[in-house]
């Protein structure tokens, strides 16, 4: 005889992907969301707001179970991809406040209450990002330090050897400083185009990778100034003084993850 499922087995956890205004109608029909979900992606009214949610099996997303699953890199990458797909679909249709990965509540009603409690702050964040998108800019050094020239003639000894070592160290330091100054020039040129900007921690280079990340920045840019931003980046890349020191990468547009925080400064 098959036993009936327990309350724990049939319960759901409600994942909140993002928050938008209550009158928004983003295209959610057919949007897959999380691949192990037990319900469709939908809007839940929360006062003047709407939460973009989906139900997940509570047994798999309870705190202890989720903590174990977050140690699985493949699981985290899959969830991040699913989460971003939903946020991007909503952001393409209306202003949106993306929520962090794995923002979970014990059911729809708790999710509704949590969003409604923060309505003034969500509304302020939506005003901040309306009509704008996030763009990422990374500035990397052009490569490893210039290789030293092979000495000719008799081997260097004593003071001459020490002078040569100091000279090489000074050359490396000058190149590092020049690259850092070039990164600052890039940031200074792009900030006036943006409504807001944030500098994130540069990523460490992969083993054996000579290109150091000198700037990892995001810019919140009005939609009608996106072309201006792209042109500014192209001009920076074409500047021979900068091109000898750094490369500049531009990505976007993205949903405003870095600027849709709930406090005035956009931090969450």
């Amino acid at each position: 005889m098959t036993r009936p499922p327990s309350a724990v087995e049939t319960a759901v956890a409600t994942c909140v992907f993002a928050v938008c205004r209550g009158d928004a109608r983003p295209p959610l029909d057919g949007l897959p969301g999380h691949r192990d979900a037990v319900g469709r992606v939908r809007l839940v009214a929360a006062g003047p707001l709407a939460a973009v949610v989906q139900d997940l099996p509570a047994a798999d997303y309870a705190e202890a179970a989720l903590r174990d699953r977050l140690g699985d890199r493949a699981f985290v990458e899959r969830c991040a991809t699913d989460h971003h797909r939903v946020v991007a679909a909503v952001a393409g249709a209306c202003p949106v406040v993306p929520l962090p990965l794995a923002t979970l509540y014990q059911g729809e009603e708790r999710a509704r209450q949590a969003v409604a409690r923060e309505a003034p702050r969500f509304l302020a964040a939506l005003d901040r990002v309306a009509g704008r998108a996030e763009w990422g800019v990374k500035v990397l050094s052009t490569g490893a330090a210039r290789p030293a020239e092979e000495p000719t003639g008799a081997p260097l000894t004593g003071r001459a050897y020490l002078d040569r070592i100091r000279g090489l160290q000074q050359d490396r330091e000058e190149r590092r400083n020049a690259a850092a100054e070039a990164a600052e020039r890039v940031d200074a040129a792009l900030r006036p185009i943006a409504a807001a900007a944030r500098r994130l921690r540069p990523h460490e280079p992969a083993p054996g990778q000579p290109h150091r990340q000198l700037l990892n920045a995001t810019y919140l840019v009005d939609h009608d100034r996106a072309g201006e931003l792209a042109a500014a980046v192209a001009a920076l890349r074409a500047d021979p003084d900068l091109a000898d020191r750094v490369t500049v990468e531009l990505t976007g547009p993205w949903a405003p993850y870095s600027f849709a925080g709930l406090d005035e400064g956009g931090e969450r």
Side-chain angles (χ1 to χ4, degrees), residues 26 37 60-61 89-90 102 107 112 136 165 245 267:
D60 293 337
Y61 285 86
V90 179
R112 184 198 317 275
I165 294 298
R245 306 175 188 180
E267 301 288 345

Side-chain angles (χ1 to χ4, degrees), residues 60-93:
D60 293 337
Y61 285 86
E63 184 175 356
L66 184 59
R67 188 184 306 115
D68 291 340
R69 299 183 81 187
L70 290 176
D72 180 350
R73 181 173 179 177
F75 170 78
V76 173
E77 290 179 349
R78 175 169 60 82
C79 283
T81 299
D82 296 344
H83 185 89
H84 175 68
R85 185 191 305 115
V86 174
V87 171
V90 179

Side-chain angles (χ1 to χ4, degrees), residues 19-24 45-51 115-120 122-123 126:
V19 173
C20 56
R21 294 187 182 276
D23 58 358
L49 302 167
V115 171
R117 278 196 303 269
E118 298 291 345
F122 274 119
L123 290 169
L126 287 166

Side-chain angles (χ1 to χ4, degrees), residues 59 75 88 97 116 119 121 137 141 169 187 198-199 233 241 268:
F75 170 78
V97 175
R121 298 169 70 192
V137 173
S141 65
Q169 291 173 339
D187 186 48
R198 290 187 62 189
R199 295 180 67 153
V233 170
D241 188 42
R268 178 160 48 230

Side-chain angles (χ1 to χ4, degrees), residues 191 196-200 216-219 257-259 265-268:
R191 278 182 179 261
R198 290 187 62 189
R199 295 180 67 153
L200 310 177
N216 182 17
T218 58
Y219 302 91
Y257 287 96
S258 300
F259 302 98
E267 301 288 345
R268 178 160 48 230

Side-chain angles (χ1 to χ4, degrees), residues 26-74:
L28 302 182
D29 290 345
L31 195 63
H34 285 295
R35 275 163 268 190
D36 54 356
V38 294
R40 62 185 177 82
V41 179
R42 65 192 187 279
L43 290 177
V44 170
L49 302 167
V52 183
V53 309
Q54 187 176 37
D55 292 332
L56 304 173
D60 293 337
Y61 285 86
E63 184 175 356
L66 184 59
R67 188 184 306 115
D68 291 340
R69 299 183 81 187
L70 290 176
D72 180 350
R73 181 173 179 177

Side-chain angles (χ1 to χ4, degrees), residues 91-116:
C94 62
V96 64
V97 175
L99 269 64
L101 183 67
T103 300
L104 299 165
Y105 296 92
Q106 293 178 340
E108 178 180 302
E109 186 56 32
R110 293 212 177 175
R112 184 198 317 275
Q113 293 172 1
V115 171

